[in-house]
Each structure stands twice: as C-alpha cells, then as structure tokens.
Amino acid sequence: MTNPQLSIIIPMRGGVEDSWLQELLKIQGSTEFILVYPPHVPFFKVIDPRLRQIKSPLKGEVVQRVTALLNASGKYVLSINCDEYIHPDILAITEDYFSNFPDSYFFRLNQVQFPFGKAPIGKDWNSLANIKDIGIRKRNDGKTYSPEEIEYTMREVPIVPLNNKKDFFALFRGRKDHRGPHQENFDKKVWKNELVQATLPEIATTFNLFGPFKYVPFWTADRLMGLSVQAKFFEPGKIAGHWLCLPEQLRTEDNPPNQPRVNRRYVLAEILLLKLFASFGYIWNLTIFDKGGIFMVWFPKDTLRKIAYKLGLKKSNPTN
C-alpha cells in the first residue's frame, strides 16, 4: 500500500489469538497495520496487503513501539495494544475530526473495558455522530454538566503545561502540576503523523550512550512519546486536541491472569525526556522532583517488599 491515510501500530506478544487480528482487519478504508514482534514470537499466517509484520531485535514495549512508529507512513497514526479492538470506521472518524479541528495535534478515543475472557468479538459498533454536531465541554467554562452530557460531549484537552516551574518540594509532598485536563500519554490517541515523525529521530538518538553502547528502556513509550511530541511543538495554552464521547471507538480486554499488570519503573524511560527537554520545569518535576521519580530507582520499595516476602519477614504474598 502506498500513502495510507491511517497507520495503526501495535507491539505484539506471544499467545495472541487469530480472532483478534480478524477483528482488526475489519477496519475500513486506507489503513495500514504495523505489528512489531519480540524475538522468537512467530508472525500471524495471514496475507493482507494492509498488514506489515516486523521482528524487533529486542523484546520491550519501547523498542517495539518506536520501531513500529518509524515504519508508519500514514497521514495519521494510532498506537494500541494487542488486546484492544478498534471501531471499523475509525478512519472516517479521523478524517471527520481533523477536517473540523485542523490545528489539533491529536484526539483521544473513548474507551470501554471488558473482563478477560469476554473479548467483544463480533459485538456491533454504534455510529458516532458527525463531529460538528457533538457538543464540546470547554475547560474552565464554569458550567455544571449532567452525567448524560458528560458521556455524549467531547472534552477539550489542553497541551501539557510544560513551562511550569521546577517544584523541589514535590519530593516531600508529591507532585501537583500533573493534575488537570491535559494528557501526558501517547496511546489510544490518533495523532498527526508529521508531528510524530519529526520527533522520533531525537528520541532514537537518546538511546545512544557512547560508541556501540545503547540504553533502551523496556517500558514505557507511552508517556515518553506523548510528552516528547507536545514538548517539541509546545505552544503555551494551546488546545492540543479533544477526548471523544460515547459511543466508544476503542474496546480493551483486561490482561490474562498469567500476565498481571506489575509495578514498572516508568522513570527509566522518562529520564530520557530530561536529555531532550531539560528547559521544561514539568519534565524535572516528573523525573526528578517526584516521590515516584528517579529516587525510586535507588530506593525501590516494592522490590524490597518482595524480598521480605521471600525471606518470610512478611506473612502474606505480594499482590504485585
């Protein structure tokens, strides 16, 4: 396929059912699907001109997702996981949104969760109204919205307030500047790919330490990418996008029991932001002046707790 309108990129893992891919391929229009696998995980034996399957040299969400993004050639790009299902008309929704909001960086999909084992295979999707006919909840408008209005109106999403001042006292009381309607993360949003592609080379460069040595964190490309794009194209006070309303455009199945969501050292990826955007106080507050930031690497409470369980110093097993 040449010049697809939408690239959907997915980092893969082992054990994904064929039924998931068949649901993905129901998406209509000029769309490419880029699946990036860790070593030793076989490709799907499916032939579709829209499907690109790539083997990553390393296992890890960061390297797999960045590899997929580097190969994305669409005008727009959407990053999801291999336990998520997308509205088959997502391309039409995308084109409708950006025709009405051409200055936006992204829009966020409305998401519904399903328990593990109850994947929404074959479940019908409802049509979203035309974007121009959907009401918008503006930030700081002072209005009170009913539950129905909240569910069926879009919400403005301002750009992350990256120019906030450094907050040393967040080390003791926790951060405050992450609160608000802005969005740090990259996934589950449809982005203008020209912004993403302009940002990727700088991110890839941060993996180089010296000579042949590289540092590629395992987790998390999500905030690393989301904050990097917004930082590179930062405009104070800009409305960067919107959060769409119901009916949903994204359905997510919970992780299987043998793959629980465990504590992850997000800061090991986010510390790369400091190399790129050290002029922004928000980045310092995220990575350095936060109780869950870089100091958690040197004092990993959850790891010490697990060791205590192993040694019998605590009676019950850890949940994470």
Side-chain angles (χ1 to χ4, degrees):
M1 178 182 294
T2 58
N3 301 320
Q5 284 292 97
L6 175 64
S7 297
I8 298 178
I9 67 107
I10 306 126
M12 299 298 294
R13 54 171 169 79
V16 179
E17 298 290 339
D18 287 1
S19 56
W20 169 82
L21 179 60
Q22 295 305 323
E23 288 296 304
L24 187 72
L25 294 176
K26 290 180 181 178
I27 291 174
Q28 303 295 309
S30 177
T31 304
E32 67 174 354
F33 309 97
I34 304 176
L35 281 53
V36 177
Y37 298 75
H40 313 302
V41 174
F43 291 171
F44 282 115
K45 295 180 180 179
V46 174
I47 297 176
D48 189 300
R50 302 172 298 165
L51 180 63
R52 300 172 62 191
Q53 302 188 81
I54 300 171
K55 188 78 71 175
S56 171
L58 298 171
K59 179 182 179 181
E61 184 257 353
V62 168
V63 67
Q64 288 177 236
R65 212 176 290 271
V66 168
T67 298
L69 288 169
L70 286 167
N71 283 275
S73 57
K75 183 177 181 180
Y76 309 105
V77 63
L78 166 63
S79 175
I80 62 169
N81 296 316
C82 54
D83 53 7
E84 296 182 316
Y85 301 82
I86 299 294
H87 198 296
D89 296 328
I90 184 59
L91 176 58
I93 294 170
T94 297
E95 293 175 330
D96 186 19
Y97 175 82
F98 282 107
S99 68
N100 283 276
F101 298 99
D103 295 329
S104 288
Y105 294 172
F106 63 80
F107 68 87
R108 177 167 176 168
L109 306 181
N110 192 290
Q111 178 183 11
V112 171
Q113 295 276 152
F114 287 81
F116 174 72
K118 295 186 178 180
I121 302 294
K123 181 179 172 63
D124 290 339
W125 295 83
N126 292 321
S127 298
L128 187 72
N130 293 331
I131 295 295
K132 63 181 177 58
D133 297 327
I134 299 175
I136 299 175
R137 286 178 285 136
K138 297 182 179 293
R139 58 172 182 164
N140 303 323
D141 61 6
K143 294 182 179 179
T144 300
Y145 293 91
S146 68
E148 184 176 6
E149 287 175 321
I150 290 173
E151 289 185 340
Y152 291 97
T153 56
M154 297 192 301
R155 193 185 84 185
E156 284 187 340
V157 182
I159 200 165
V160 172
L162 292 157
N163 54 351
N164 284 355
K165 294 181 179 179
K166 297 175 186 176
D167 183 9
F168 175 79
F169 293 102
L171 278 171
F172 307 100
R173 55 161 164 71
R175 288 176 65 204
K176 293 183 177 180
D177 64 342
H178 64 296
R179 300 172 184 168
H182 56 273
Q183 300 272 307
E184 295 179 337
N185 293 349
F186 183 84
D187 294 357
K188 304 169 190 18
K189 298 180 178 70
V190 178
W191 293 78
K192 286 181 176 175
N193 198 20
E194 62 181 325
L195 306 181
V196 177
Q197 295 304 317
T199 308
L200 277 170
E202 297 178 19
I203 293 174
T205 301
T206 65
F207 298 158
N208 298 323
L209 295 178
F210 54 89
F213 296 99
K214 299 183 185 297
Y215 169 66
V216 183
F218 197 89
W219 308 102
T220 166
D222 196 3
R223 276 195 294 198
L224 173 62
M225 283 301 309
L227 287 173
S228 291
V229 176
Q230 293 183 74
K232 183 172 180 62
F233 296 96
F234 181 66
E235 299 178 53
K238 178 181 176 62
I239 299 301
H242 295 80
W243 193 335
L244 296 192
C245 60
L246 288 174
E248 75 275 8
Q249 305 87 49
L250 175 69
R251 295 169 177 169
T252 301
E253 184 182 15
D254 287 342
N255 278 19
N258 63 343
Q259 296 183 9
R261 300 183 189 277
V262 297
N263 291 323
R264 299 167 181 168
R265 301 276 188 268
Y266 291 142
V267 71
L268 294 178
E270 291 159 357
I271 195 68
L272 298 177
L273 290 165
L274 210 54
K275 293 178 64 177
L276 292 171
F277 306 110
S279 62
F280 290 121
Y282 188 98
I283 302 300
W284 282 86
N285 297 339
L286 171 69
T287 57
I288 304 298
F289 303 134
D290 179 35
K291 291 190 293 185
I294 194 63
F295 289 103
M296 279 296 292
V297 176
W298 314 119
F299 184 61
K301 291 187 291 185
D302 58 321
T303 301
L304 295 176
R305 189 181 303 116
K306 286 187 177 182
I307 293 173
Y309 286 120
K310 293 285 187 182
L311 295 175
L313 300 177
K314 285 185 174 289
K315 294 182 180 180
S316 59
N317 291 324
T319 56
N320 292 318

